[in-house]
Structure formats: C-alpha cells, structure tokens
Amino acid sequence: MELVLANLVNGISFGMILFLIASGLSIVMGLMGIINLAHGALYMVGAYAGWTIAVQWKMNFALAVIVGGIAGALVGLLIERGFLRRLYKQPNEQVLLTFGFVYILSNLVIWIWGGHRRLQFTAPILYGSMEIAGMPFAKDRLAIIAIGAIIAIALWYLQDKTRIGAIVRAGMDDKEMTTGLGINLDFIFTVVFLFAAFIAGCAGVIGAQLIGAYSWLGTDILLYSLIVVVVGGLGSVQGSLLGGLVIGLIDTFGKALFPQFAMFTIYLAMIVILLVKPSGLLGRKS
Amino acid sequence: MTLPNERETSRRSGQSLLIRFTPFIAGALVLCILPALVPTYVRNIWTKFVVFALFASSYDLIYGHTGLLSLGHAAYFGAGGYTVAALMLHYNIDSLWVGLPLGVLVAAFISAIFGFMALRVSGMYFLLVTFAFGELLYSVTWNWKWLSTPGMQGISGLLRPNLGIPGFRWNTINFYYFVLIIFLLCFYLVYRIMNSPFGHALRGIRENEPRMQSLGYNTWLYKYLAFIITGAFAGVAGTLFAYYNRFISPTHVGVVTSFMPMIMVIIGGSGTLLGPVIGALIIVFVEYFSSLFTPERWPLILGALFVAAIMYARGGVGIHLTKLWRKLNYRYGSSKG
Amino acid sequence: MEALKVKGLTKAFGGVHALSDVSFSVNVGERLGIIGPNGAGKTTLFNLINGQLPPSYGKIHLFGIDITHSPTYRRAHLGQSRSFQITSLFLNLTVLDNTLITLHGLRSSRFHMMRSTTTYIALHTRARELLTLIDLWEHRDELVKNLSYGEQRRLEITLTLALEPKLLLLDEPSCGLTTAESAEITDMLKNLGRDITILLVAHDMDLVFGVADRIMVLHYGKIIVEGVPEEIRVDSRVREIYMGCADNAGTITTG
C-alpha cells in the first residue's frame, strides 16, 4: 500500500511538472501555430540557472525558482524576438529553427556548467518527509503538487476569466478576426511566448527536485511534453493538466510495474489516442 | 528565371561547351576519380558523405517535395542498419544479397506502420508524432537486449558485406566504389520519381493540397507512399552506414541522427536535385574539421550553422549555385567566341 | 436526369448555421446562378458539394449517386470540377507543370513513378492546345506567381474546364477582373456545350444574368427565392436584400 501511495505521489508530482511545461508548449502551439522544440531546453536552462543560485551560491530556493524562470524567459526572448519573428508565416522554418536552438543550448549548458553529471537538488526546507494520516510523504513531492495545483488554478483563471485570456483564446480560433478587432497580436505572441518560457524555467528548478538537470534533459523532457500535448489536447490549460497527470501516472506506474518496458507505456498511450481520438482527450479542435 | 533565347545556346563555341559540361566533369572528378587518389582517412569521410547524401536526398522527397516535416527519420535509417547488424550478430549472415534487401524491407515496413499513424494527424501534430516514433524506436534499441552485443549498447564488430565472390577482399577503395554505385543507383531512382507524374503530384500537394483533391488526387495515398519510399531509401542508407561504420548503436536511431538529413537539406537547398548532396558534403566535412579542433563544440557549431542557414541561406547553397551557374552560362555560353 | 440533387443540407459551426435546410436540384445542362450578399453561405455550399467540408445534416446526390460522405477526389472522378474564389493555382510551379498536374488528375498515369512527365506526348499536346488558346504557351516555363492576376484567373478557369467536367462549380470566376476580362469569361461560359452543368456563384450581375438559366438567392444560409432571371430581377425581396435598387427597367446592381 505504501508503495502504491509513493508511486501515486511520484506520478502526480511528475505529472505536475509535465503540466507546467506542456501548458506553455500547448498555448504557443495553439496560438502561434508553431512547436517550440526548444521549450524543453528552456526548462533545462532554468534548472541549471536555479542550481547555480541554490547550490553553488547557496541562496534561497524561492529565489532560485524566480531566477530560473527569468533565465528561461531571457533565452525565450532572444529566440522569439531575434529569430522567430523574422520568419513570419513560415511555420516549418520556425520549428526547425527551434530545433537548432536545442543543439545550441544543450551544448552551451555543457560548456558553462560542465560535464554530463546529473544535478539534483532540493529546497532545504523541503528535505525529508511529513506524515499525513499516518503515512509518510516526501515533502518535496507534496510541494511540487501543491505549487502545480496553484499555478494550474491561476492559469485556468487567466485563461477563462480575464480579458487577456479571452484574447489568447480568440487568437487561437481566428487570428484574422482578432487582429481585425484592433488587437496587436504580435505583441500578444511575444508576451505569451515569454510567459511560457518563464514558467518552463521555473518548472525547471521546481522539477529539479524530482528529475535534476543534465545536458540532454532538453530533448528528454520535450518528448514527454509533446506526448502530453498529444494525449491531453491542444490549446487549453485543462488539456495540459489532464494530459500531464495521465502521462505522469502512466509513466511512474509503468516503470514500477514493468521496468523493462520503461518508456513504452507512454508511447502506447500516445498511439491509443492517435488511433481513437487524434485531437486529444480535451482537444479544442476536432 | 528563364534561360535566354534558344538561339544563343545553339552557337556552340568550344568555350561554351566546356562551361556547360563543367558541373558534370567536376562531379565525375569529385565522385569517381579523386577518392581513389586521396589518403585513406579522407576517403573514409568521402564514403560517409556519400551515405549521408543518399539519406538526405531521400529525405528531401518527403520534406522538400511533399512538404511534410518529419522528425525522427533516423528510425528508418537505423532500422536498416540494425537489420544488417542483427543478421550478423545472431545468424552469422553477412551476405549483401540478404542483408540489403532485408534492411530495406524492415525500414519500409516500419515506416509503413509509423506513417499510417502519423498521417492521422496533420501539420504540427504530424511533426510531433514522427518525432515521438523516432524516440520510440530509440527506446527499443536501447532496451531490447537482443539488439545489442552483450555488455554494451548497440552492435559492434560488423563486417563488410559478403558479395559471394570467391577470393574478393575489401579495401577502402573498392568499398567506396561499392557505396558509390548503390548511391548512384538510388539517386537515379529518386531522380526518376521526382520527374514522374507521381513526383509532380507530390509538389502539387505541397503547394495546395485541397486543390489537388478537387483535381482527383487521393492525397493521403500520395503522402503515405512518399513516406514509405523515403523510409525505404533511408533504410538503404542505413545498411550502407552499418557496413561502413562497422558499429550501430541507438544513437543512430535517435534525434541527433534524424537531424542530419534535415540540416543537409536546408543548407543544400530543398526541393532541388543536388541540394541535399551538397548539403551532405558541407556537413560531413565541417564535422570532420570540427572533430580535429573542437570536438566538444560540434553540436554547438551544427546548431549555429543550422540557425544561420534557416535565417539567411533560404534556398540553400544549391539555389545560389544554380543561379551562379545560370549567370555563367548566360554570359559565357552565348558569346560569339 | 438530375445532375445534382441537394436535400436538407445544413452546416453548423457551433451555434452558427452557415446553411439551413437547403434543398434544390439542377438538371443536366442547366446553368444555375447562386447569388446573395456576403456571408450568405454560397462558398460554404460549394465546399459541401465539393467535399471540402462535411455537412451537419442533409444529402447530396451527383448523377443519382450519393456523395454526401465521399472524399473530394472521388467526386472529381465522378465529373465534378471546381474553381476557387481565391486563385488556388500552384504558385511556385510553372504554368506547364500546373497544366500537366491538372491533366493527370483523372488518369491512371497519375501514379506512375518512373516515367518522366515529358514522355506523355498526348498530354503535352493537349497542354499545348489549352495554353495556346489563352496565349500562355510562351510563358509555360514561368512560375504562376509571376503571371498577372488576369492571366492567372484565365489559366485557372481553363484548367477547370480542361478536365471536361460534367458538373462545373464556379466560385466567383470574375473576381478581381476588369470589365473586359469578365465579359470574356461570360462569353466563354455561354459557349459551353449543354452536356456540362454549371453552378455559378458570382457578384457580377452581368455575368450571372448573362449565363444563368435559373437563379437562386441565398441569405443567412437559406434559399430566399428561386426563379428565372427576369423574375429575380424584379423580385422585391431580392431588392430588399441588396438594398441597391436601380430603376424599374434596370438590372440589380450590388451596393
């Protein structure tokens, strides 16, 4: 029973991390029509930046999270403003471009932070476990779930209840109409892209407690988040959340129950969705 | 950009004849004669270039001509290589006449399955799914112990293919020509496909798929066939690679290797015949030079090259060469003598 | 014999009904003009008939065959041909390539992978005929995007006819053309044989009234009125819709 619970907690917390990354990826895909393949790399950059703050300079973990987010946002700004913007209306080229950045960022990270070791670090106050209803739970996992839930609610609120959320959703449905209403969609694009990058960077530090940081984290986590987007559906917070939790749980339990089959459980999930409901569980467009 | 008046080119001065045939002479030199004369290590790189030229040219069929961006194409490349390797490892079969066809079949079969599922979605999703399938195969080669020499990842100790000719021994020169011949054969087939009604239809689909449908084309079938054909040729390249490299590993199935034909096509020029070949030449040799001076920074250089190519060399080197070529032809090919 | 029969055709996008319960039929050889203000559902109707969109309800029969759920390409093989409102030629391909691709569309040779397109002599001859007719043979190696708009339109209409369709769907064929060019199109359509059935959507009233045997008026996704041109010309409902009445004797002109 304890084992099931431990896996449950691991699965949900992993799912939360995936949700954080996938939500940014999904909104950018839905709004701008491009897949930011470097999104995973932004997560990775955040993780490394956070490591520097939290471990190397031994500063506050919360600060590390913010710095991680800023690092992600800065790189995102560079990519979007410096390059993506110039490839207006060429989605294939934009996607390829982001792929090129994965290479650049992964190698830069090795150059700056050295080697291929896996850096895993936790906030000092989250060391150890706490008891709930007589069962021990790892504090950092619980914290991840809590933070993830808070951000999920905040994002959902942004999406459904605010004007900016309405603009983004309108932009996803009909770009021309939205521009026709006098809204500067270009600016919104940049804002959304930066916001997604910021969250990815923060997630990198938060998730480092679970996954750590290493130089090919960029592609690993990208793969997971892409599958989350396929399974959960494009363009909505709910889709990313559901997809994230589903994949997080399937992956964790899959690895626990069938260790030889490692990644296959999530590929299977993706294949099932592709065959049965290609637009994803909560997909916006059919 | 039309070539000038037909009258001009009929004025055959010796100078214009030379100009017209220069690329072919250069090509023949570069491909057929030079490699026999250079040092062995250069020849090895040349062989690698030819293998990747095949990989890149076939990739352009689905990318440049059909307009489908497929990541994860190394899956079919690696499938070919692993087939040959597994045959050698477990069944001691090193015959070319078994290895190559089987490698192509396996690659085509896998691309048929993956392609079918990937084509259920379109645009960005398609990209995503092909990427995931590539990683799926990477996982398989990493985890399935049967696909590895015991104690390591991947299969090592591969031999050069057995041609069944008694007394025949391989060296780097005849191996290069062997690879070259297969490349030329496949390249010729790809060339035929590109110029056929099927190839034209692919380009039509790239330009405007709904219109193609209202003209009577079953566009799904075309895309599917193009995907499988590309996969099959990738399989050929993969088997050649296994013979060349004598070692195949999960890396050759993963995203890093998938990236190679993409960057070669972009740099060399997509949708053209020679673009991918030129791109392969550039990348393989830049990689070699990078390995001499800054091996750890190679991915960074590759990524930076890629970004630069996308931003600035839009048509790829191939287009610029073609334009240059036309300019030369016009200026010199039409002179009075 | 009915070339096209549409029953109860409805298309809803969420809560919006682009088309509501549209029913009509067209006899072989007839020319049906479809007019209506912007947003009336004319292009949606074409998209449904041609298969680019699936209907929410209703049925479509082409020459007696139920094509409601047939894919677009199969409808082409049954004799449908469609021109698009926005030029949909292959802009980055040459004029000749565009023509050859079009001509291959209904032939089994469209799957050939090993023969060069230059070896299909019959098709090349036909391409030459067609292109010479519209003065584009000399430009056959030019990219379509480098042609003038009028030339592109001419090419598109010609290619639409090149497939020898039995049912021709023309969506705003004279859109963006000069009066002279429109008149050319009108004449060309008038001279087409009666074995071709034509559905024509247009805002150019000279074109519609010059070609159509019958006219159907769409508004907010419904058929408002149907009849011969003379009836439509003087119908008060139609005048109301267009809000731009000429005097009694004149033709309806759009505002």
Side-chain angles (χ1 to χ4, degrees), chain C residues 42-55:
Chain C
K42 309 189 290 293
T43 302
T44 309
L45 179 63
F46 266 25
N47 284 337
L48 290 175
I49 296 177
N50 199 226
Q52 271 90 22
L53 283 178

Side-chain angles (χ1 to χ4, degrees), chain A residues 19-202:
Chain A
F19 151 66
L20 289 176
I21 311 170
S23 57
L25 192 62
S26 162
I27 304 283
V28 166
M29 268 175 82
L31 181 62
M32 295 165 75
I34 56 171
I35 305 186
N36 179 12
L37 293 175
H39 203 74
L42 295 176
Y43 170 93
M44 175 185 69
V45 165
Y48 271 98
W51 179 84
T52 304
I53 300 288
V55 178
Q56 208 169 37
W57 295 350
K58 300 201 196 310
M59 298 169 80
N60 191 303
F61 193 82
L63 181 67
V65 174
I66 305 284
V67 169
I70 295 179
L74 282 176
V75 177
L77 182 69
L78 173 69
I79 296 178
E80 208 268 332
R81 279 266 143 200
F83 297 89
L84 284 181
R85 179 154 301 271
R86 311 251 174 100
L87 294 177
Y88 181 62
K89 285 223 181 189
Q90 298 169 72
N92 275 353
E93 280 73 17
Q94 288 177 322
V95 172
L96 287 173
L97 185 86
T98 59
F99 203 25
F101 271 102
V102 177
Y103 269 69
I104 295 178
L105 290 171
S106 299
N107 202 247
L108 269 178
V109 146
I110 298 180
W111 204 354
I112 302 178
W113 279 278
H116 298 257
R117 30 183 193 135
R118 195 185 201 108
L119 308 167
Q120 201 156 348
F121 55 102
T122 309
I125 50 165
L126 295 177
Y127 283 151
S129 59
M130 60 190 281
E131 285 222 347
I132 301 182
M135 299 271 192
F137 292 97
K139 276 199 214 162
D140 52 9
R141 308 295 199 256
L142 291 179
I144 293 178
I145 298 178
I147 297 177
I150 295 174
I151 297 186
I153 296 176
L155 285 180
W156 170 80
Y157 185 82
L158 255 177
Q159 174 190 266
D160 279 1
K161 303 283 181 202
T162 63
R163 189 162 174 271
I164 183 109
I167 293 176
V168 170
R169 276 181 293 132
M172 279 196 224
D173 278 340
D174 194 336
K175 282 192 188 43
E176 277 164 37
M177 207 44 205
T178 314
T179 320
L181 290 173
I183 294 173
N184 185 353
L185 219 46
D186 268 358
F187 180 66
I188 303 279
F189 279 5
T190 307
V191 167
V192 167
F193 197 88
L194 280 185
F195 188 53
F198 178 77
I199 297 200
C202 290

Side-chain angles (χ1 to χ4, degrees), chain C residues 12-96:
Chain C
F13 295 103
V16 179
H17 281 244
L19 282 181
S20 290
D21 203 26
V22 168
S23 302
F24 65 92
S25 59
V26 189
N27 289 320
V28 173
E30 234 192 312
R31 279 96 167 96
L32 178 67
I34 302 175
I35 61 176
N38 283 325
K42 309 189 290 293
T43 302
T44 309
L45 179 63
F46 266 25
N47 284 337
L48 290 175
I49 296 177
N50 199 226
Q52 271 90 22
L53 283 178
S56 307
Y57 301 109
K59 289 221 168 287
I60 308 172
H61 286 86
L62 183 67
F63 299 112
I65 305 172
D66 186 348
I67 58 163
T68 318
H69 297 290
S70 296
T72 305
Y73 68 89
R74 202 158 294 152
R75 303 187 198 201
H77 285 268
L78 287 173
Q80 261 191 34
S81 182
R82 182 211 174 141
S83 79
F84 292 79
Q85 190 172 358
I86 309 169
T87 307
S88 69
L89 296 169
F90 307 120
L91 297 173
N92 288 312
L93 301 182
T94 64
V95 170
L96 184 59

Side-chain angles (χ1 to χ4, degrees), chain B residues 189 192-193 195-198 200 204 206-208 210-218 221-222 225 229, chain C residues 50 72-73 76-77 84 88-90 92 97 101-102 104-105 109-117 120 163:
Chain B
L189 285 176
R192 292 293 291 256
I193 293 177
N195 280 324
S196 70
F198 180 78
H200 274 65
R206 176 193 73 199
E207 291 294 306
N208 190 331
R211 179 177 170 80
M212 286 302 280
Q213 285 171 345
S214 56
L215 289 177
Y217 290 89
N218 181 350
L221 188 57
Y222 280 84
L225 287 174
I229 293 173
Chain C
N50 199 226
T72 305
Y73 68 89
H77 285 268
F84 292 79
S88 69
L89 296 169
F90 307 120
N92 288 312
D97 276 345
I101 291 178
T102 306
H104 268 293
S109 61
R110 67 189 184 280
F111 281 107
H112 288 178
M113 292 191 204
M114 286 289 125
R115 273 178 69 182
S116 165
T117 48
Y120 293 87
L163 298 175

Side-chain angles (χ1 to χ4, degrees), chain B residues 7-50:
Chain B
R7 254 188 304 137
E8 310 275 56
T9 52
S10 72
R11 245 183 262 138
R12 308 231 167 210
S13 68
Q15 187 182 36
S16 73
L17 250 180
L18 190 63
I19 298 287
R20 286 173 71 79
F21 280 112
T22 301
F24 300 104
I25 297 174
L29 260 167
V30 163
L31 282 183
C32 302
I33 304 182
L34 261 181
L37 308 171
V38 295
T40 309
Y41 67 93
V42 177
R43 187 156 47 239
N44 277 332
I45 302 180
W46 220 278
T47 313
K48 186 175 186 183
F49 147 60
V50 175

Side-chain angles (χ1 to χ4, degrees), chain B residues 160-175:
Chain B
R160 292 279 149 87
N162 185 345
L163 294 181
I165 301 176
F168 178 80
R169 316 206 75 207
W170 287 108
N171 57 52
T172 52
I173 297 188
N174 54 26
F175 183 69

